[in-house]
Amino acid sequence: MTINHPLPQKISDASAYEAAGSLFSRANSAFRNGKYSAAAALYEEALDQSTGVMHRQIFFNLQLARKKQGSAVKLNALKLKKPENVEDFYFELIQEGNFFDQDWYLAQHKDTHQITGNPLAHYLEHGVELSLNPSPDFDTAYYLSKYKDVATSGKHPFLHYVCQGHREGRPAKPFDAHSILDAYEVEEACYVPRLAADAPPVAKAARVIAFYLPQFHPIPENDGWWGKGFTEWTNVKPAKPQFDGHYQPHVPDNLLGYYDLSDTGVMRKQIELAKQYGIEGFCFYTYWFTGHRLLETPVDNYLADPSLDLPFCICWANENWSRRWDGLEKDILIEQHYSSDDDVNFIAHMSKYLRDPRYIRINGRPLLVVYRPNLFPSMKDTAVRWRDWCRNNNLGEIYIAYVQSFENRDPADYGLDAAIEFPPNNTSPPNITHSITPANDDFAAKVYDWRALVENSKGYKRQGYKLFRGVNPSWDNTARRKNKGSILLHSSPCGYQEWLYNAIADTQQRFTEPDERLVFINAWNEWAEGAHLEPDQRYGYAHLEATRMAQVRQLTSAPITTSGLAIVIHAFYIEIFSEIIEKLHEIKNLSFKLFVTTPHAQSAEVEMILQSSSFPYLLLTVNNRGRDVLPFLKIAGKVEQEGYAYILKIHTKKSRHREDGDIWRHDLYNKLLDENSIRMALKRFDSEANLGVLGPSGHIVPMNVYWGSNAPTVVSIGYRLGQVPAKIKRLDFVAGTMFFARMQALRPLFNLAINEEDFEAEAGQIDGTLAHALERIISISCSSQGFELVNSGINDKKSNNTNYAFVQ
């Protein structure tokens, strides 16, 4: 692996320090809603828990909130004096952002440089020349060396950062893995089983395409170079851990096993998995050497069998083959020879794929991918030959993209249409080799921190050309390179989900044309590079599930076609259902529809009550399983189909095991089934874009206090939603599963593909069932969508009820 490009990084408020980040997020929400006093208070609280760049960003926002309050204060604590030659604009930014640490600067440099006047003036006049720094969070020499545009602009690097750089997310000092990446908890490996075969297919927020390696069947050339029967598995099987905790070997799960790709039955299973988990298609590597092809059997079998119906495209892996496995010019096994005739022969041969109806197209143009355009004598001339041949042979226009494996040039330089990111190539994650203890003295591998790639995805740098994002589930090529490989440590399915989630979001923002919303995964089956979505015995289907859930979480909201409120009721106790209907009759001049579930045995009685109520309704009969939660999951699709944006979820709670069960229920109903409460809830949802779940006052409790016996199940399902245990524990949830909610906040919950068989048979359990776990997952679903769960009372702050009145 070549790692040769600096990592553009944006320090993320919510990820750098989770505790302060949560407060910062709430403060930003209050600020957006004009609650400047509340925002200032939250910023002050967050300030106490933050350091470094995040501290300065919070400080900057705090001053803005104070200004909006009309009570901006002078920053006397900074003791700054304005240098005569600095414009007021810059000086105010320096003060507001707290960018210059006068006390630190004097402590570092006063004696050495005999500073007697204005410290800020001294830094601005002499700092660059003397390589001085204005604070521990800005490295003058680093900033100039890293950003050539700043170095050549003639502008002072510090003033550039104050005015522009920090807003662009430019790092102001060398990357410090410990200050940022430690915030990413690496969860314990959790095996995720495959979804049921009848799980509904996921809607796609982007066209996710996975690179596909065909080297899983013997060929004569590999037999001669590496030994009889060589395939990729020959490297994968004997791989050994190089240090304590090193995940090797990667062992495939039983569904596919150590497969042979000459068997189309294997490809059929791969397609089933890809479809089930929301993958648009495969990008097959193809190997062409002046008319001689290698490893062509899988893609040719694919072409010959129309029943293999997943879309596909091809990528010409146009490197020499060598014994080093890295495309470098050493001990070449088979060499590329480029020519104008070969250009034509190549495109003519590949046209059989490009014409196939399954072939991936962008706005009708077949997508052809090139791996190393810089190896051609003139990629631009080759592209012209390819395009001319396709036009002259009834293929029309083609779409040519290249993989940024070793370079980051504008594709127009090569006459191409787009570029494709190919991580971890061309990235620069921190080298953490020093942090591991090798198992053997001959260890010569390099170890990097994979989490930096996730962090980078939170602040993507925009390019001036078409660029398709790339995501990598993990990377470790020691199966090929043994003790001399490259290892990206700390990868995880949760981190991968977050990265893909961010990549899809960025893609949606940059491309308005759905056909161009492509995201590439490296890779579907690079087992010898530790980069595979295919299931293994350690994580199971976790990376596939992460792919699916990243799509679910990034889907745009379903069209809102119905005004008013959907009231979802599980009617188990008839007499209490009648009580609910009576309370609803007290509500005047509000539009709502009832979505009611009830066990089969009492459906007729419930229907009679509904018919006499005069309310519009939909009734769904269900089995007596999963309490009120499974029925809610079953009817939620009906609510979404009818275009409701907001719901009120209630049920006929009785809690017969408790003496205060009726008191509990009445307290919930009084705070939810009340006209003023409903009006207030709808108003808040319309005005507060960040609001996901609105729980009844006094019934919002901390997750880590009220785990009960549900923690393992909650953590396991939270893992599927891309949420690590440390984050889950800091959440609150609504005790009693009655609340107002935005449908978008619950989309991940609705897409968990949980079946009725997953729920325990009803036996009067009071804790520890799947229904009890999902009561808490509602909050995790909301959080995973970036929404907040808040109290329905006038006070907008979350309840932190550690002495819940209705707990036993």
Side-chain angles (χ1 to χ4, degrees):
M1 179 182 68
T2 300
I3 300 177
N4 57 13
H5 184 66
L7 175 74
Q9 182 202 333
K10 179 178 180 181
I11 304 298
S12 168
D13 48 14
S15 68
Y17 303 95
E18 292 280 1
S22 176
L23 290 166
F24 191 35
S25 177
R26 292 168 57 194
N28 289 340
S29 174
F31 187 95
R32 286 192 299 269
N33 291 303
K35 300 175 182 177
Y36 304 119
S37 179
L42 286 166
Y43 284 134
E44 288 175 349
E45 189 177 351
L47 206 60
D48 292 337
Q49 301 185 40
S50 65
T51 59
V53 175
M54 186 184 183
H55 182 85
R56 297 182 183 281
Q57 183 62 57
I58 295 172
F59 189 90
F60 182 82
N61 287 22
L62 171 59
Q63 301 315 309
L64 291 180
R66 286 173 173 169
K67 283 185 176 181
K68 289 288 188 179
Q69 278 182 273
S71 59
V73 298
K74 293 183 178 180
L75 306 180
N76 296 325
L78 295 177
K79 308 172 188 175
L80 294 186
K81 293 182 180 179
K82 179 182 173 299
E84 292 181 2
N85 60 344
V86 173
E87 296 177 19
D88 290 343
F89 171 73
Y90 289 116
F91 184 62
E92 289 176 4
L93 288 178
I94 293 169
Q95 289 189 103
E96 290 174 347
N98 198 15
F99 291 113
F100 185 76
D101 190 331
Q102 178 170 282
D103 293 338
W104 182 90
Y105 186 79
L106 289 172
Q108 296 291 316
H109 309 303
K110 181 178 181 180
D111 296 335
T112 306
H113 298 286
Q114 291 80 49
I115 302 173
T116 57
N118 185 338
L120 178 57
H122 181 274
Y123 169 69
L124 292 174
E125 185 174 350
H126 304 292
V128 174
E129 176 188 355
L130 299 174
S131 293
L132 307 182
N133 297 325
S135 78
D137 297 310
F138 186 91
D139 186 319
T140 304
Y142 170 82
Y143 200 79
L144 279 172
S145 65
K146 183 173 179 66
Y147 306 113
K148 301 304 181 186
D149 59 327
V150 178
T152 58
S153 69
K155 192 170 188 177
H156 195 290
F158 178 65
L159 294 183
H160 178 277
Y161 181 72
V162 166
C163 182
Q164 181 179 348
H166 82 285
R167 296 182 182 277
E168 296 174 350
R170 300 195 189 202
K173 62 179 183 178
F175 190 85
D176 179 0
H178 297 293
S179 67
I180 300 299
L181 299 182
D182 285 349
Y184 291 89
E185 180 188 11
V186 181
E187 69 279 5
E188 293 293 326
C190 178
Y191 184 97
V192 174
R194 185 182 179 182
L195 293 173
D198 60 352
V202 63
K204 297 172 184 175
R207 303 175 72 188
V208 175
I209 299 172
F211 285 103
Y212 185 107
L213 182 72
Q215 191 163 234
F216 292 92
H217 64 99
I219 60 174
E221 292 85 350
N222 274 336
D223 286 349
W225 293 328
W226 304 103
K228 184 70 173 177
F230 174 89
T231 72
E232 198 75 357
W233 299 124
T234 307
N235 286 325
V236 173
K237 290 179 181 180
K240 297 183 183 302
Q242 298 293 323
F243 51 86
D244 186 37
H246 182 205
Y247 171 35
Q248 282 292 2
H250 289 221
V251 181
D253 205 48
N254 294 332
L255 176 73
L256 296 174
Y258 293 107
Y259 53 75
D260 184 329
L261 284 181
S262 61
D263 177 4
T264 56
V266 170
M267 303 181 84
R268 200 173 309 282
K269 292 179 182 178
Q270 292 173 323
I271 289 170
E272 289 173 2
L273 284 178
K275 284 183 174 181
Q276 186 175 31
Y277 287 95
I279 292 168
E280 172 85 4
F282 294 143
C283 183
F284 288 98
Y285 289 119
T286 192
Y287 305 92
W288 165 278
F289 298 90
T290 321
H292 181 60
R293 293 189 62 192
L294 300 176
L295 300 172
E296 72 279 7
T297 297
V299 70
D300 283 353
N301 286 347
Y302 204 96
L303 186 68
D305 188 346
S307 69
L308 301 175
D309 56 355
L310 188 75
F312 74 99
C313 62
I314 57 174
C315 172
W316 182 7
N318 61 305
E319 295 177 315
N320 297 328
W321 274 26
S322 72
R323 290 192 180 276
R324 288 172 54 97
W325 300 102
D326 56 11
L328 300 179
E329 305 298 317
K330 186 172 182 180
D331 197 5
I332 293 175
L333 300 174
I334 185 168
E335 189 174 6
Q336 293 286 357
H337 296 284
Y338 301 100
S339 69
S340 57
D341 288 343
D342 190 58
D343 289 343
V344 173
N345 291 336
F346 171 81
I347 196 67
H349 186 85
M350 296 299 156
S351 65
K352 62 183 179 181
Y353 305 114
L354 276 62
R355 296 182 192 278
D356 192 90
R358 294 164 292 177
Y359 199 85
I360 292 171
R361 290 168 169 79
I362 299 177
N363 295 323
R365 299 163 60 187
L367 170 63
L368 175 63
V369 181
V370 180
Y371 191 70
R372 298 282 301 275
N374 61 318
L375 299 182
F376 286 81
S378 172
M379 183 73 248
K380 185 173 284 189
D381 290 343
T382 295
V384 169
R385 294 185 190 101
W386 288 352
R387 294 186 195 279
D388 287 346
W389 191 94
C390 289
R391 293 187 191 108
N392 295 332
N393 289 273
N394 299 318
L395 252 174
E397 296 296 328
I398 60 173
Y399 197 107
I400 312 175
Y402 87 93
V403 173
Q404 292 186 329
S405 54
F406 291 89
E407 56 180 321
N408 291 317
R409 292 181 61 178
D410 185 333
D413 293 346
Y414 291 125
L416 308 183
D417 298 290
I420 300 169
E421 287 182 332
F422 196 70
N425 283 29
N426 261 335
T427 63
S428 184
N431 188 317
I432 57 171
T433 308
H434 64 277
S435 69
I436 62 97
T437 302
N440 300 296
D441 293 338
D442 63 350
F443 180 79
K446 294 290 191 293
V447 183
Y448 303 92
D449 199 325
W450 178 91
R451 297 173 298 181
L453 306 182
V454 183
E455 176 65 21
N456 177 40
S457 72
K458 294 191 173 185
Y460 277 120
K461 184 179 179 181
R462 296 295 177 90
Q463 303 292 346
Y465 53 81
K466 285 189 177 178
L467 176 67
F468 300 130
R469 295 297 178 198
V471 179
N472 167 245
S474 57
W475 178 271
D476 177 358
N477 66 0
T478 54
R480 285 181 179 167
R481 300 294 305 279
K482 314 307 178 189
N483 64 320
K484 296 180 181 179
S486 296
I487 304 161
L488 270 73
L489 199 58
H490 302 316
S491 65
S492 69
C494 280
Y496 161 71
Q497 183 179 147
E498 192 65 17
W499 186 358
L500 180 56
Y501 175 86
N502 293 337
I504 293 173
D506 176 80
T507 298
Q508 290 176 326
Q509 291 168 7
R510 290 186 298 114
F511 293 100
T512 57
E513 173 56 54
D515 242 23
E516 291 185 316
R517 289 178 172 171
L518 273 63
V519 177
F520 286 80
I521 308 297
N522 180 26
W524 174 261
N525 61 342
E526 285 278 11
W527 285 86
E529 293 179 347
H532 53 88
L533 296 181
E534 287 182 330
D536 63 9
Q537 293 189 10
R538 180 182 178 92
Y539 293 103
Y541 297 76
H543 287 98
L544 285 167
E545 177 70 344
T547 305
R548 176 178 174 273
M549 271 300 169
Q551 294 261 42
V552 166
R553 292 170 56 201
Q554 274 297 353
L555 285 172
T556 55
S557 300
I560 301 172
T561 58
T562 307
S563 60
L565 179 70
I567 301 180
V568 181
I569 308 170
H570 181 54
F572 186 76
Y573 297 108
I574 299 296
E575 68 278 18
I576 296 176
F577 179 61
S578 297
E579 177 185 327
I580 291 172
I581 296 298
E582 289 176 13
K583 289 188 73 67
L584 290 175
H585 276 296
E586 298 173 5
I587 299 172
K588 310 298 181 183
N589 302 315
L590 273 176
S591 172
F592 59 82
K593 180 174 179 176
L594 305 183
F595 290 79
V596 182
T597 55
T598 194
H600 299 285
Q602 53 205 43
S603 60
E605 195 171 356
V606 168
E607 180 111 42
M608 288 179 59
I609 295 171
L610 287 169
Q611 289 175 348
S612 62
S613 73
S614 75
F615 296 131
Y617 72 89
L618 183 150
L619 177 64
L620 177 68
T621 57
V622 296
N623 294 326
N624 182 25
R625 201 178 183 105
R627 306 291 172 88
D628 59 292
V629 177
L630 176 59
F632 176 53
L633 298 181
K634 287 188 172 184
I635 205 168
K638 306 289 186 183
V639 177
E640 192 166 36
Q641 287 173 13
E642 295 199 18
Y644 283 92
Y646 313 126
I647 63 168
L648 166 59
K649 179 193 176 300
I650 54 177
H651 56 97
T652 58
K653 187 175 186 67
K654 208 166 191 179
S655 302
R656 291 186 296 182
H657 63 288
R658 310 170 57 110
E659 293 181 0
D660 62 349
D662 290 342
I663 297 173
W664 190 2
R665 181 180 71 255
H666 290 311
D667 189 63
L668 287 162
Y669 287 179
N670 289 338
K671 292 172 179 175
L672 296 171
L673 289 172
D674 169 77
E675 183 169 342
N676 289 334
S677 297
I678 295 175
R679 290 186 184 278
M680 177 274 295
L682 294 176
K683 182 178 179 180
R684 290 189 64 179
F685 279 121
D686 286 338
S687 62
E688 301 176 31
N690 65 307
L691 178 57
V693 173
L694 197 61
S697 301
H699 297 270
I700 298 178
V701 298
M703 188 83 71
N704 63 344
V705 175
Y706 294 103
W707 281 113
S709 58
N710 305 292
T713 306
V714 172
V715 167
S716 176
I717 298 177
Y719 183 91
R720 292 178 57 194
L721 299 181
Q723 309 302 299
V724 297
K727 185 175 182 180
I728 292 171
K729 292 173 185 177
R730 286 192 291 274
L731 296 176
D732 298 331
F733 73 97
V734 181
T737 61
M738 298 195 215
F739 50 81
F740 296 98
R742 188 187 303 271
M743 286 291 288
Q744 177 70 4
L746 302 183
R747 175 165 278 156
L749 169 69
F750 298 149
N751 282 274
L752 283 170
I754 292 174
N755 295 317
E756 185 166 322
E757 294 72 24
D758 297 324
F759 287 82
E760 301 83 356
E762 181 57 45
Q765 304 97 320
I766 61 174
D767 190 36
T769 69
L770 179 57
H772 289 100
L774 292 177
E775 177 181 20
R776 291 151 176 84
I777 295 297
I778 289 164
S779 170
I780 300 173
S781 175
C782 175
S783 176
S784 76
Q785 291 294 80
F787 292 113
E788 292 186 355
L789 182 153
V790 302
N791 194 309
S792 65
I794 297 175
N795 187 347
D796 192 31
K797 293 183 179 179
K798 289 184 181 179
S799 167
N800 189 25
N801 190 351
T802 57
N803 187 22
Y804 183 43
F806 297 100
V807 70
Q808 285 187 348

